[in-house]
Amino acid sequence: MRRAVLVAILWLIPAAAAFAGPPFLTDDPVPVDYHHGESYLFSSGTREADGTSGVGPAVEFNYGPLPDVMLHLIAPMAYDTPEGESSHFGYGDTELGIKYRFVHETDVIPMIGTFPLVEIPTGNEDKGLGNGEAQWFLPIWLQKDFGKWTTYGGGGYWINPGPGNKNYWFSGILLQYTFSENFYLGGEFFHQTADTVEGEDSYGFDLGGSLPLVNDFQILFSAGRGLTNTSSNEFSYYIAIYRAF
């Protein structure tokens, strides 16, 4: 069964602007608990051959209004520092989503869920702080636990309108080891097809995890880079202060 799950995940594999399962790009199907929530204060970014861009400070908020359902919001400040040009800083694109878990994990069946997202074009496109048009992500995510080991992954389709843009696939798979409730380490491998007419497919990886702080706060972190088409991802990072409630 384990092999079948991994094959299903890899079959979906055909850097997105949006954020997935912090601190990683690959997401899981696990919503927050019913009538509970979680918040992140974070920054993330990518160094490319022609400059660096990202968000921070940014706030993510998730809440479970119903069993197996999670409402999602990201409100970011964005930055763009092109090589040899003026830097820009301001409010970026707002992200909204709903995560829904429709299959619970058993001894043999993985957990399965979906997490549609929309990127609302609230950032200034001319200053490199937003896309200029709404983007939509339609994914399927799977997860299976094996003792202290967890693997999750899947992928989906980005609807990416705009001059020179094209729709694309994003997918990934992650393996994670849990030392304690607030301490885990993991790594992901992801793939994205070209998101522009003249773009290229890309593969990449991230390594990261969570470290406990005080009063139920945690530090989430990851760092990685592209393995192909490296000019679009020479280095990427994510860092956050996280708390569930």
Side-chain angles (χ1 to χ4, degrees):
M1 185 63 191
R2 181 185 306 184
R3 182 178 179 183
V5 172
L6 293 176
V7 169
I9 293 172
L10 290 171
W11 181 84
L12 288 169
I13 295 180
F19 311 96
F24 300 104
L25 295 174
T26 304
D27 211 336
D28 59 53
V30 183
V32 297
D33 293 336
Y34 176 46
H35 282 174
H36 287 266
E38 59 186 6
S39 59
Y40 306 76
L41 177 64
F42 73 93
S43 176
S44 68
T46 300
R47 170 67 187 179
E48 303 179 357
D50 57 357
T52 304
S53 61
V55 299
V59 175
E60 176 177 345
F61 178 78
N62 301 314
Y63 181 73
L66 297 168
D68 296 319
V69 174
M70 183 184 85
L71 301 180
H72 165 80
L73 165 69
I74 290 180
M77 299 299 292
Y79 66 88
D80 183 49
T81 57
E83 197 72 37
E85 299 181 27
S86 299
S87 299
H88 298 285
F89 179 77
Y91 191 75
D93 287 349
T94 303
E95 180 176 285
L96 300 176
I98 300 178
K99 180 179 285 190
Y100 174 55
R101 175 174 55 193
F102 52 84
V103 175
H104 283 253
E105 182 179 1
T106 69
D107 290 341
V108 295
I109 298 175
M111 186 187 307
I112 307 174
T114 185
F115 193 8
L117 299 171
V118 56
E119 300 290 321
I120 301 172
T122 49
N124 189 323
E125 180 187 14
D126 295 335
K127 295 183 178 180
L129 304 177
N131 183 64
E133 295 195 37
Q135 299 168 291
W136 299 82
F137 185 44
L138 307 172
I140 293 291
W141 300 111
L142 302 88
Q143 176 172 312
K144 196 75 179 72
D145 296 319
F146 306 96
K148 292 191 174 183
W149 290 97
T150 298
T151 183
Y152 59 83
Y157 191 63
W158 274 98
I159 299 172
N160 183 37
N165 291 346
K166 61 185 295 186
N167 298 343
Y168 63 96
W169 292 92
F170 175 87
S171 53
I173 185 168
L174 178 143
L175 183 64
Q176 177 177 293
Y177 185 83
T178 300
F179 297 89
S180 66
E181 182 178 1
N182 297 330
F183 177 31
Y184 60 83
L185 296 174
E188 68 174 339
F189 173 77
F190 56 86
H191 176 218
Q192 178 182 306
T193 60
D195 60 359
T196 62
V197 174
E198 298 182 354
E200 300 178 14
D201 291 8
S202 60
Y203 294 85
F205 76 95
D206 287 303
L207 301 174
S210 171
L211 298 174
L213 285 175
V214 295
N215 299 326
D216 297 324
F217 285 91
Q218 298 169 237
I219 292 180
L220 306 185
F221 64 93
S222 68
R225 61 166 295 149
L227 296 171
T228 62
N229 190 22
T230 55
S231 62
S232 66
N233 183 2
E234 296 180 347
F235 174 77
S236 59
Y237 76 91
Y238 178 97
I239 185 74
I241 297 175
Y242 165 84
R243 188 176 188 274
F245 57 91

